Amino acid sequence: MSDRSPQSMSATARSQNPDSTAHAVIPGVLLPLRKQQRVLLTQKPADHIVLVMTGVLMVEARLPERDRQVLEILFPGDAYHTQDAPGLLGASLIAATPAELQRYRPEALEAIERSNPEFRRRLESAMAHRSARRTLHLASMSGASGEERLADFLVEIGLHLGRQVQGSRSFDMPLSREEIADYLALNPDTLSRIFSRMKSSGVISISRGRATVPDWPALMRLSPFGAAQTELYEQTRVPA
Amino acid sequence: MSDRSPQSMSATARSQNPDSTAHAVIPGVLLPLRKQQRVLLTQKPADHIVLVMTGVLMVEARLPERDRQVLEILFPGDAYHTQDAPGLLGASLIAATPAELQRYRPEALEAIERSNPEFRRRLESAMAHRSARRTLHLASMSGASGEERLADFLVEIGLHLGRQVQGSRSFDMPLSREEIADYLALNPDTLSRIFSRMKSSGVISISRGRATVPDWPALMRLSPFGAAQTELYEQTRVPA
DNA sequence: GCAGCCGCTTGATCTGGATCAACAATTGCC
DNA sequence: GGCAATTGTTGATCCAGATCAAGCGGCTGC
């Protein structure tokens, strides 16, 4: 349906920001973000929609007396609707890597959609895909152990940012340990321990922010929702 | 925006199925469900949209070797899109109380929407509202303790099914202990203990499936996401 | 009325992950 | 290159919630 897949391009392409034309460029307001730059989603009375053109983003929630949470991770091709986070959550988007967003106000969007039904269809498909991914993340958070949650996370990142060579797969890790911990509802100490165990069991190796999973099926076996994630990811690629 | 609110009706109305015309009746296929009846969401290649007319539903996921999970709870006025759960999750809708659904295939829906933009707006608003509620549930599941999660759940149910009298609020509990446990990612034993503590501290009392919260603000103080839920719920009521 | 079952409660024990506290490794900055 | 600051690792201890097991009450069906 949408053309978000890195794999559909030549093997020499960069894996980090694989696809600068994840959506045909129908211009809204272009928003280039440097690493760690933040876009507030709160207190904007007018909702809007944001398309991720390049880079990786985090949706963060911060409630007064509570730890920061990373609610979801956005990749090129994803569409985010401001209304998805209630105002009181104190949500923002944060660029995990340098990124480019395209922002649309709803009126503008409606006009575009009327004149370009193909664009509307893409947008709806992107939204549906992200919604299903959120379901999987919820399922993982509420049904899986720490190690399983980390495996699910690695599958998610690997699918979206990784390049497959034989049965192995490698990718640049866009999130810091603490950010991953906030996404997985683990504390950083515990996460570090789980990572160490996985490294010593050979499931993954990491050096200088580059992760390699030598045996992808082995990782999939640790990941309760990996198969569902893969199915979902495959659907977003051109079926033809 | 939509007219889903029980409170807008007279105080003598039943609180359980308060509003049989949550959406203006634009007929799709009407689906009456008895308690515990199940509608499979899987393996339907054609996606469709379901409107909850009356009753309370659970969205359940069941993966081969894993415990059942309740991913979300649906109330009258809610709209559910089949695509929100990936096929491999093994999802179904289950009626927690007797319920009525209206089901639409996407083609039919498109035709209706074209001729009735008001209906389309309502549907989108219902979807947006549910999406925000899902965000809050995720936040609660990954950031809150058992007691806080239960408080969040009670606020959710109380808002949707409760009737306010002074500062107190009461409602029929639509879910069993085990179902609540599956929704909150707790085990039933632990949940029962937390309930007992809350009962003995006077936050809530339950008899014959009817729950009473004598001091609603006290419950809200235990609920990290209660304020955000309330804000959200209020938005769905006619602002005028 | 009573047998049996199911949903719920409660006690005793166990454990995965949190917390606290050093310490090591990177990264950034002059 | 060298030093400070930030980020990641690891050990020791602790605790919320899971697990296991036993009882309790209310409902169903005979």
Side-chain angles (χ1 to χ4, degrees), chain B residues 3 7 10 83 85 96 102 110 145 165 174 208 213 236:
Chain B
D3 52 353
Q7 277 85 342
S10 90
Q83 289 187 163
Q102 199 83 25
E110 251 177 69
S145 70
V165 185
R208 321 213 101 272
V213 178
T236 66

Side-chain angles (χ1 to χ4, degrees), chain A residues 1-239:
Chain A
M1 197 106 328
S2 82
D3 53 352
R4 62 204 333 272
S5 160
Q7 277 85 342
S8 62
M9 314 192 320
S10 89
T12 54
R14 290 271 292 111
S15 68
Q16 188 69 15
N17 295 320
D19 192 354
S20 57
T21 54
H23 287 273
V25 188
I26 294 183
V29 179
L30 182 67
L31 222 61
L33 299 178
R34 57 184 190 285
K35 204 171 141 91
Q36 297 301 323
Q37 193 175 339
R38 169 185 301 259
V39 180
L40 287 181
L41 298 175
T42 346
Q43 287 150 344
K44 302 250 180 187
D47 57 307
H48 51 252
I49 283 176
V50 155
L51 295 187
V52 180
M53 309 306 288
T54 63
V56 177
L57 290 263
M58 298 173 289
V59 181
E60 174 195 274
R62 204 193 293 267
L63 231 54
E65 303 280 292
R66 313 218 129 224
D67 293 346
R68 182 260 304 262
Q69 289 184 242
V70 174
L71 298 173
E72 58 182 310
I73 300 175
L74 305 180
F75 300 96
D78 276 330
Y80 190 83
H81 192 157
T82 292
Q83 290 186 160
D84 289 339
L88 289 179
L89 261 190
S92 356
L93 293 181
I94 298 183
T97 68
E100 287 173 307
L101 303 182
Q102 198 82 25
R103 187 174 59 190
Y104 302 86
R105 316 215 132 253
E107 322 84 68
L109 203 64
E110 250 178 70
I112 295 172
E113 286 179 341
R114 243 192 307 281
S115 65
N116 188 341
E118 168 62 18
F119 180 76
R120 184 185 165 188
R121 221 166 313 123
R122 281 223 207 140
L123 200 60
E124 278 178 1
S125 148
M127 285 292 196
H129 176 266
R130 192 172 65 82
S131 173
R133 225 168 57 221
R134 288 212 289 158
T135 302
L136 289 178
H137 185 233
L138 171 63
S140 182
M141 290 310 97
S142 48
S145 70
E147 178 164 277
E148 291 170 331
R149 300 215 284 268
L150 177 53
D152 282 333
F153 165 77
L154 291 172
V155 169
E156 182 177 8
I157 300 289
L159 281 175
H160 286 90
L161 305 180
R163 179 150 310 290
Q164 186 144 17
V165 186
Q166 311 284 17
S168 98
R169 207 175 249 266
S170 52
F171 48 90
D172 290 334
M173 177 63 73
L175 275 62
S176 73
R177 286 288 191 280
E178 196 178 338
E179 289 162 346
I180 299 172
D182 291 342
Y183 180 58
L184 298 181
L186 292 170
N187 89 356
D189 305 40
T190 301
L191 180 64
S192 175
R193 271 177 250 273
I194 300 174
F195 256 119
S196 299
R197 263 183 269 144
M198 279 197 180
K199 279 188 268 184
S200 68
S201 75
V203 179
I204 193 174
S205 64
I206 304 182
S207 77
R208 319 214 106 273
R210 180 107 193 142
T212 302
V213 178
D215 181 359
W216 186 254
L219 176 63
M220 288 291 285
R221 260 174 268 126
L222 298 178
S223 161
F225 300 97
Q229 285 189 71
T230 307
E231 178 200 36
L232 200 54
Y233 181 77
E234 298 295 338
Q235 284 171 9
T236 66
R237 308 184 47 195
V238 202

Side-chain angles (χ1 to χ4, degrees), chain B residues 47-171:
Chain B
D47 57 305
H48 51 252
I49 283 177
V50 155
L51 296 187
V52 180
M53 310 307 288
T54 63
V56 177
L57 290 264
M58 297 173 288
V59 181
E60 175 195 273
R62 203 193 294 267
L63 230 56
E65 302 280 290
R66 314 220 128 223
D67 293 345
R68 180 261 302 262
Q69 290 185 242
V70 174
L71 297 173
E72 58 182 311
I73 300 175
L74 304 180
F75 300 97
D78 276 330
Y80 191 82
H81 192 158
T82 290
Q83 289 187 163
D84 289 339
L88 289 179
L89 261 190
S92 355
L93 293 181
I94 297 183
T97 69
E100 286 173 307
L101 304 182
Q102 199 83 25
R103 188 175 59 190
Y104 301 86
R105 316 213 132 255
E107 322 84 66
L109 204 64
E110 251 177 69
I112 295 172
E113 286 178 340
R114 245 192 306 280
S115 66
N116 188 340
E118 169 61 19
F119 180 75
R120 182 184 168 191
R121 221 166 312 122
R122 280 222 206 139
L123 199 60
E124 278 177 2
S125 148
M127 285 292 198
H129 175 266
R130 191 172 67 83
S131 172
R133 224 168 59 220
R134 288 213 287 158
T135 302
L136 289 178
H137 186 232
L138 170 63
S140 182
M141 289 311 96
S142 49
S145 70
E147 177 164 281
E148 291 170 330
R149 301 215 283 269
L150 177 54
D152 283 333
F153 165 77
L154 292 172
V155 169
E156 183 177 9
I157 299 289
L159 281 175
H160 285 90
L161 305 180
R163 178 150 311 291
Q164 186 143 16
V165 185
Q166 310 284 17
S168 98
R169 208 175 247 267
S170 51
F171 48 90

